[in-house]
Amino acid sequence: MNELREARSESGPLFEAVGATLRREIASGRFAVADVLPAERELCEILRVSRTTLRRAIAGLIEEGVLFHRHGAGTFVRRRPPHVEQALSRLTSFTEDMRSRGFVASSREIERGVFLPTPEEAMMLGVSPRDSVFRLVRQRLADGVPLAMERAAVPARFLGDPSRVGDSLYAALDAEGWLPVRALQRLRAVVLGAADAALLGVAEGSAALDIHRIAYLADGRCVEYTRSFYRSDTYDFVAELTLSPGASRQAEDAPR
Ligand code: 16G
């Protein structure tokens, strides 16, 4: 952290030099792991400045939108989320989607295991309440920024050894020969409560897309039911609309 001390030699008010140093360090990814700034006391020691100077520098960065304060949790770096456009007509996985856009996909697992299905999972997957399902709840990130929360359920018989499911659920299904070929997806707008908002790194009350996906094998069996919340500030779902054949005939037949 020696570079931080060098800031003190910059000209102008000290708090501005401290702010410039913090801005530079953030841009270089220094606090990227947790996106949280070190405690005030620690930063004062590193920079050898008073609390008042540090607080003025931080207040400036909050005003610029570089940092934000979360009550009781600390001061965080506001990362610009990657913006993603996803075609609604293509059945792709999160990992593929991100890779094709040049982002590094990663996940934070919240729950994983083989369980009896919830009533909702049993209904959606069309399995008996006594059949086991593999459940995987993950925060999905692109370049380290959380974009979505996904809660996936797959009938356990489609995954030989669930512990072998790695970063990509679809890659694991593909390896077993059970990659879905078709899916139905429902999207609706929701307002996030405190817990989901915190997991997505957005403010409580932010808008999100609540997505249900049911995916099928070629023989019509249901292989996946996933409920996700996607951040609405990072995702655009794009649908292609074509004129139906019947409609085009009507247009040709219409009197001119
Ligand atoms: C996408 C799918 C989700 C699927 C996941 C698999 C949407 C809305 N959802 O996120 O249903 O489970 O991809 O991704 O597109 P993975 O193979 O990277 O685990």
Side-chain angles (χ1 to χ4, degrees):
M1 289 247 182
N2 284 339
E3 316 88 285
L4 286 176
R5 287 195 195 111
E6 281 158 22
R8 303 207 52 188
S9 59
E10 288 178 26
S11 58
L14 186 54
F15 74 89
E16 280 184 8
V18 172
T21 302
L22 287 174
R23 202 183 298 107
R24 220 173 22 241
E25 293 299 313
I26 288 162
S28 72
R30 179 179 296 276
F31 309 113
V33 176
D35 273 354
V36 63
L37 283 194
E40 207 177 71
R41 194 159 43 88
E42 198 184 324
L43 272 179
C44 287
E45 273 169 24
I46 293 166
L47 292 157
R48 302 214 187 107
V49 291
S50 67
R51 279 190 183 217
T52 319
T53 302
L54 181 73
R55 281 183 188 168
R56 273 190 85 179
I58 287 178
L61 295 177
I62 288 176
E63 215 172 279
E64 276 176 43
V66 174
L67 297 173
F68 67 99
H69 195 70
R70 198 177 286 152
H71 190 67
T75 306
F76 292 81
V77 176
R78 192 183 294 284
R79 300 259 167 225
R80 291 221 179 285
H83 199 86
V84 173
E85 277 195 4
Q86 192 191 329
L88 269 174
S89 50
R90 288 190 50 235
L91 180 57
T92 49
S93 76
F94 186 88
T95 308
E96 273 180 82
D97 268 346
M98 293 308 127
R99 198 172 291 148
S100 67
R101 288 169 175 82
F103 299 131
V104 177
S106 61
S107 305
R108 280 189 201 134
E109 278 189 22
I110 293 160
E111 187 185 344
R112 154 194 290 259
V114 175
F115 307 96
L116 287 177
T118 62
E120 188 188 3
E121 288 166 347
M123 296 271 293
M124 295 298 182
L125 290 168
V127 297
S128 142
R130 291 180 302 280
D131 287 337
S132 302
V133 297
F134 170 67
R135 190 179 305 135
L136 187 56
V137 184
R138 293 175 290 177
Q139 184 189 47
R140 312 296 312 257
L141 306 99
D143 285 355
V145 179
L147 295 196
M149 280 291 306
E150 289 184 340
R151 183 186 179 86
V154 170
R157 62 174 175 275
F158 293 126
L159 289 166
D161 177 3
S163 69
R164 294 221 326 253
V165 176
D167 292 339
S168 167
L169 179 61
Y170 276 21
L173 287 170
D174 196 18
E176 298 286 337
W178 301 123
L179 190 64
V181 297
R182 186 176 78 85
L184 285 177
Q185 202 161 280
R186 188 183 84 183
L187 289 84
R188 62 178 181 172
V190 288
V191 166
L192 292 169
D196 290 325
L199 282 168
L200 285 177
V202 293
E204 181 182 353
S206 300
L209 291 164
D210 176 7
I211 305 177
H212 296 244
R213 178 184 282 194
I214 306 182
Y216 301 90
L217 299 172
D219 63 11
R221 280 181 298 167
C222 187
V223 68
E224 173 203 9
Y225 167 57
T226 296
R227 170 108 191 256
S228 335
F229 289 108
Y230 274 70
R231 279 172 60 164
S232 59
D233 59 337
T234 62
Y235 251 85
D236 283 357
F237 286 90
V238 182
E240 185 188 28
L241 309 177
T242 54
L243 199 62
S244 70
S248 82
R249 222 179 12 256
Q250 282 166 31
E252 279 164 20
D253 294 348
R256 286 163 212 251

